[in-house]
Amino acid sequence: MSGQELGGRLHPLAVLLIARRFVGMSLLPAAALLLSAGTKVLVPLLVTALLVGVPLAVLSWSRFRYRVAGGRLELHSGVVGRKVRTIPLDRLRGVDLTASFLHRLLGLVRVEVEAAAGGGSRAELSLAAVSQSDAERLREALLGRARGVEEEEPGPRRLYRASPGLLALGGITSMRYLLAPAAIVGFVFNLADDLPGDIAGRAADAAAERAPTDPVLIGLLAAGAILAVVLVAAAGSLLVDWDFTLEDDGERLTASRGLLTRRLVQLDRDRIRGADVRDTPLRRPFGIAAVTAIAPGLRGRTGGTTLAPVTHAAAAAALLRSVDPLAPDPRAPLAPHPPAARTRRLVRTLPLALLSVVAATVAMVPWAIAAAALLTASAVVLALDRYRQLGHGFDGRRLALRGGSLLRRWSELDPGAAVAFELRSSPGQRRAGLCTLTLHLGQGAGSRRALDLGEEQAAELVARLEPRILAPLVASREAGRGPG
Amino acid sequence: MILRAPANAIDPRMRTYWTVQALTATAVLGALVATATTIAAVLGAATAAWAVGLGGGLGFVIVGVSSLVAVRLAYRHFRYEVTEHGLYVARGRFWRRQQIVPHARLQTVDTTAGPLLRAFGLVAVQVSTASAAGGISIPGLRRPVADELVTELARRAELEEGT
């Protein structure tokens, strides 16, 4: 404990941000009023809102204070009821600095303090807007305790930096947008329901009237739509991960990213128990993948544990080693799962696909037959690839697992990070001599599983994975051969 | 068989407890079928009454018999054991599931008992870890056995804390 003392309030301009939150809350009702009642009602209403809202924002700003003293962080707030939240500094998990576009215009930063509350649940505190220098000082005071003297010596080491080209390529090949059409359709329909005067209905009619019937035009439109999706995907990736930089100061990794909203996320190195490398069939030809850390206890916020949004395979291996020195190479071959696993993958996908072929044939609709045949063919290709991707390896310290096809994931992790081990087998798996081994990590890090391991493989792996805990449980036939 | 079976069975009274539960559910189904048949008969729809009565009756018998068999199997294949370094639970005849929670990873141990379970003089022991998917529940133990299990788990968890 360095006993640093620090206190203050939010930046005066934070009033604007607080007020904006009030505006945000009343924006929809106000818009509805404007549409239904016109400006006569709206203007007096707006004036009232300003008269009430601005003093309220100022008051709530003036009541908000933070203080770091005696090994604690205190936040005082509340307009009507007073509230004090206290967090011991040794409970802090991390301090994140975020700057939205508005924040950056005003030169402010939002500070989010992540703390482990008792019983494993998490509490989070945030300071809506402080100046850059206050934020830096606050972070030093909150986290500085653990840094000690060496902190001044070497500057942070840069582990990764995203280039715009790679980010754009990553966005295009992420394949996440395959899920997007459904979301967009849902959004549009929701919006259409809320619009007054059946605007949506009239727009749809107009669109239907002008709908193209020419196949060439339809083809062009489809091509245009695909191009638009690709551009949006690239732009989205650039927007979110612009200039993603990962730095290592020996104890903590600091990732900063974002074009308009800039986020700064910190991750304690000794919380890292492994890593995931993800890619898609579109990414594989380019040899690029995304790298995330497995860090139980860190809130599962999107991108919170991202180490590299897109990187080349060789760079990914180097990055993994610098974050987790024991990490195996993701490109290293893994032990394949028995051929019975391939049969099982096929058996599990084919019935539905074949059923669609039968249904289409019975209905005698030519294009449906073609579509069903295509579906069946892609189901087979997918099942075969899902089998080919299955693999595991254990070098005595890190377990490597691979699975999935459209979203392929290779994981390496310390088996000691598991809070529970689970072996499952269905009747079909047992007939084929297979089983599934799952390691539950918990605390937001999820589970990692080895799907359809051969029984012999599973027995050997289980015995070596945790010799103390699991090896004594292995049935005597396997134990007779000696574990590992 | 990859892992050997855990040493202990749960209390035999669990068979009766689960049977009571299964029979209650089956009885509700039977009552529904009987009501539907009566209504159809009163309304004069003889064919519908026959169809509902026969189909429902068959369903009633199938559900009743299979749930009785399922109870026997669930009881016989639910086993648990406190080993030196972990709690080991196995369950299921067809969909087999074996879970191991290392003592060092144990977060809370709860004992709960609903009114029916209490009437049988039994309690359930729930073990939770940091992972929602990694928890274990042992459904029926006699109170002294459960208390002993909880004490044992707490003692071992404390021993493993430093490792």
Side-chain angles (χ1 to χ4, degrees):
Chain A
M1 293 286 151
S2 63
Q4 271 193 76
E5 286 209 14
L6 189 73
R9 42 176 84 224
L10 300 181
H11 193 274
L13 282 174
V15 171
L16 281 179
L17 294 159
I18 298 170
R20 196 188 60 148
R21 211 168 50 212
F22 290 144
V23 171
M25 279 192 293
S26 52
L27 207 59
L28 261 173
L33 268 176
L34 179 68
L35 284 169
S36 56
T39 43
K40 268 190 194 136
V41 183
L42 194 68
V43 170
L45 209 74
L46 266 181
V47 172
T48 327
L50 274 178
L51 283 179
V52 178
V54 170
L56 205 63
V58 171
L59 194 64
S60 108
W61 171 81
S62 74
R63 288 285 168 80
F64 191 96
R65 285 161 190 279
Y66 62 86
R67 207 163 84 90
V68 184
R72 290 196 307 264
L73 166 68
E74 288 172 15
L75 294 184
H76 301 252
S77 64
V79 174
V80 183
R82 290 306 187 85
K83 198 164 102 178
V84 182
R85 301 190 68 184
T86 308
I87 289 196
L89 292 190
D90 55 10
R91 279 306 177 91
L92 290 191
R93 288 272 165 87
V95 178
D96 296 351
L97 307 185
T98 332
S100 75
F101 188 55
L102 188 58
H103 277 89
R104 289 173 74 188
L105 277 182
L106 302 173
L108 301 177
V109 185
R110 177 183 170 86
V111 181
E112 279 170 14
V113 178
E114 199 178 303
S121 63
R122 272 162 283 288
E124 196 209 306
L125 306 174
S126 73
L127 281 68
V130 293
S131 68
Q132 293 272 6
S133 56
D134 277 358
E136 281 304 323
R137 276 195 297 136
L138 186 60
R139 196 170 69 189
E140 284 304 303
L142 292 175
L143 296 175
R145 78 224 127 80
R147 290 205 183 178
V149 197
E150 326 123 73
E151 188 233 326
E152 317 296 334
E153 296 169 8
R157 198 158 60 95
R158 175 168 298 166
L159 296 181
Y160 169 81
R161 183 159 189 194
S163 70
L166 206 53
L167 282 177
L169 185 60
I172 292 166
T173 55
S174 76
M175 291 179 68
R176 250 174 292 172
Y177 45 81
L178 288 183
L179 307 170
I184 292 172
V185 168
F187 175 73
V188 167
F189 273 87
N190 269 322
L191 199 69
D193 277 349
D194 292 339
L195 286 176
D198 197 27
I199 293 173
R202 267 180 285 157
D205 286 346
E209 259 170 47
R210 296 194 187 96
T213 43
D214 186 4
V216 177
L217 201 58
I218 293 178
L220 277 178
L221 273 178
I226 291 173
L227 188 70
V229 164
V230 164
L231 285 178
V232 166
S237 167
L238 284 170
L239 201 67
V240 174
D241 288 326
W242 181 259
D243 195 29
F244 189 108
T245 312
L246 183 73
E247 283 178 340
D248 174 19
D249 70 0
E251 269 182 53
R252 259 184 295 277
L253 300 174
T254 307
S256 52
R257 69 197 170 104
L259 185 61
L260 296 180
T261 294
R262 192 101 189 130
R263 284 196 75 98
L264 202 140
V265 177
Q266 291 195 315
L267 174 60
D268 275 349
R269 281 195 70 126
D270 49 9
R271 302 195 72 83
I272 297 177
R273 309 301 296 271
D276 293 321
V277 177
R278 286 169 224 255
D279 63 13
T280 64
L282 285 184
R283 284 184 175 182
R284 267 165 244 162
F286 297 101
I288 55 176
V291 184
T292 34
I294 297 176
L298 201 84
R299 192 157 43 99
R301 131 167 47 67
T302 44
T305 51
T306 304
L307 299 178
V310 220
T311 184
H312 287 289
L319 176 62
L320 279 178
R321 261 195 315 280
S322 57
V323 168
D324 177 5
L326 297 176
D329 192 322
R331 294 163 299 180
L334 298 176
H337 293 193
R342 176 172 44 213
T343 318
R344 185 157 182 264
R345 293 267 69 81
L346 283 169
V347 165
R348 284 173 70 93
T349 38
L350 273 184
L352 206 66
L354 288 178
L355 201 70
S356 70
V357 171
V358 170
T361 314
V362 168
M364 297 221 290
V365 186
W367 65 264
I369 297 175
L374 199 67
L375 183 77
T376 309
S378 41
V380 169
V381 170
L382 201 64
L384 290 178
D385 192 51
R386 271 171 65 79
Y387 167 70
R388 201 167 48 237
Q389 301 302 346
L390 284 178
H392 68 277
F394 184 58
D395 60 7
R397 291 190 287 200
R398 289 290 185 271
L399 174 66
L401 300 170
R402 194 177 57 207
S405 170
L406 287 181
L407 299 171
R408 181 173 74 158
R409 179 168 74 178
W410 175 95
S411 311
E412 59 95 4
L413 71 155
D414 173 8
V419 299
F421 300 88
E422 189 173 327
L423 261 176
R424 273 176 189 255
S425 58
S426 69
Q429 278 182 309
R430 273 199 304 284
R431 228 174 296 124
L434 303 173
C435 64
T436 297
L437 173 70
T438 310
L439 276 71
H440 297 291
L441 303 172
Q443 301 180 64
S447 305
R448 299 293 179 279
R449 65 174 189 171
L451 183 69
D452 287 344
L453 280 169
E455 280 172 356
E456 301 270 305
Q457 288 178 324
E460 197 203 328
L461 184 61
V462 156
R464 290 175 59 218
L465 212 52
E466 274 287 357
R468 237 165 38 104
I469 298 164
L470 299 179
L473 303 179
V474 174
S476 54
R477 182 166 55 97
E478 271 77 18
R481 293 186 315 176
Chain B
M1 210 52 177
I2 297 156
L3 302 182
R4 65 171 173 78
N8 311 309
I10 50 175
D11 196 90
R13 269 174 285 185
M14 260 331 260
R15 251 181 322 203
T16 329
Y17 171 77
W18 277 332
T19 306
V20 169
Q21 277 191 330
L23 288 183
T24 315
T26 318
V28 169
L29 180 70
L32 282 177
V33 169
T35 318
T37 314
T38 317
I39 290 174
V42 166
L43 291 178
T47 344
W50 274 106
V52 171
L54 279 180
L58 196 65
F60 171 75
V61 171
I62 290 174
V63 167
V65 170
S66 60
S67 62
L68 287 182
V69 172
V71 162
R72 292 284 176 289
L73 288 177
Y75 168 75
R76 195 176 320 148
H77 289 93
F78 196 108
R79 302 188 71 84
Y80 73 96
E81 181 180 341
V82 181
T83 69
E84 197 185 342
H85 298 291
L87 172 63
Y88 173 29
V89 168
R91 69 179 71 172
R93 166 67 185 82
F94 297 110
W95 279 268
R96 249 177 232 163
R97 192 168 158 200
Q98 294 164 316
Q99 287 168 287
I100 301 106
V101 170
H103 293 315
R105 299 302 183 165
L106 197 135
Q107 276 193 334
T108 59
V109 185
D110 300 339
T111 55
T112 51
L116 183 58
L117 202 56
R118 252 205 324 271
F120 280 87
L122 298 175
V123 293
V125 176
Q126 263 115 27
V127 170
S128 78
T129 65
S131 163
I136 287 185
S137 157
I138 303 173
L141 297 175
R142 275 189 312 126
R143 174 62 81 172
V145 178
D147 287 344
E148 203 178 305
L149 176 68
V150 171
T151 320
E152 174 79 355
L153 285 174
R155 191 179 66 83
R156 296 217 182 246
E158 206 161 309
L159 278 182
E160 296 270 320
E161 199 77 64
T163 58

